[in-house]
Amino acid sequence: MANCEHTFIAIKPDGVQWGLVGEIIKRFEQKRFHLVGLKFMQASEDLLKEHYIDLKDRPFFVGLVKYMHSGPVAAMVWEGLNVVKTGRVMLRETNPVDSKPGTIRGDFCIQIGRNIIHGSDSVESAEKEIGLWFHPEELPRLHHCTPSWATEQDSISKIK
């Protein structure tokens, strides 16, 4: 399937602490995405520094790494049709004040520094992040992606 993708989603320590792991998984499953990897873990500082390397020159970098290291994280890999872009729409803005109700951050966040969730912003960053957080043997070779009968594009092409 042309747009079958994988994305990396991490529920940050505040989201775990607030008990939102199940609710967030439920939202992704309701969008018909497939969970193909899940780890509940305490991320090392080295992993977090590598994950946020593009922010290393920002004044909040040290605090972000410290915060992300302060508690467990639920690291996930999701698969599906346009999952990267759709996942970002589901999360919404980094600053929850700018996020509308009905989105994850709009419903559950109040501060930019405690915005409960991370999601890959491109297919390329998803590949990099998945490689940082998961070893290949931790991800089953499931290719659930949306069956051809379930998407309009494929259904229409078969009718013609």
Side-chain angles (χ1 to χ4, degrees):
M1 178 159 291
N3 293 323
C4 182
E5 302 172 342
H6 292 93
T7 195
F8 175 75
I9 300 291
I11 303 173
K12 298 177 180 181
D14 57 326
V16 171
Q17 203 64 37
W18 285 109
L20 296 172
V21 174
E23 176 64 30
I24 291 168
I25 288 173
K26 176 183 171 187
R27 287 183 182 214
F28 275 83
E29 287 180 333
Q30 286 176 329
K31 281 300 266 188
R32 298 192 185 131
F33 294 131
H34 300 281
L35 182 61
V36 295
L38 172 63
K39 282 196 220 187
F40 191 66
M41 63 185 287
Q42 180 80 34
S44 71
E45 287 188 20
D46 288 340
L47 171 61
L48 294 166
K49 286 176 183 175
E50 183 65 25
H51 179 85
Y52 289 112
I53 192 83
D54 59 322
L55 302 174
K56 71 178 178 3
D57 296 326
R58 305 292 293 266
F60 57 83
F61 177 76
V62 172
L64 174 61
V65 170
K66 183 178 177 184
Y67 156 66
M68 288 293 293
H69 184 65
S70 71
V73 172
M76 299 177 278
V77 178
W78 289 90
E79 177 182 75
L81 183 66
N82 298 312
V83 69
V84 174
K85 183 176 181 180
T86 305
R88 294 293 292 184
V89 169
M90 291 168 63
L91 272 58
R92 229 36 232 165
E93 307 304 322
T94 302
N95 187 345
V97 172
D98 299 327
S99 296
K100 294 185 176 176
T103 65
I104 292 170
R105 289 182 177 142
D107 288 350
F108 302 119
C109 302
I110 55 173
Q111 291 183 314
I112 192 169
R114 299 294 182 267
N115 63 15
I116 75 166
I117 194 165
H118 165 84
S120 300
D121 61 4
S122 69
V123 172
E124 296 75 25
S125 67
E127 289 175 10
K128 177 185 170 221
E129 292 168 353
I130 291 166
L132 282 173
W133 290 79
F134 289 86
H135 299 291
E137 63 272 10
E138 294 175 309
L139 299 171
R141 295 200 188 277
L142 301 177
H143 294 287
H144 288 248
C145 259
T146 310
S148 61
W149 55 264
T151 61
E152 182 178 10
Q153 181 180 10
D154 289 338
S155 297
I156 290 173
S157 66
K158 289 179 181 177
I159 294 171
K160 291 181 181 181

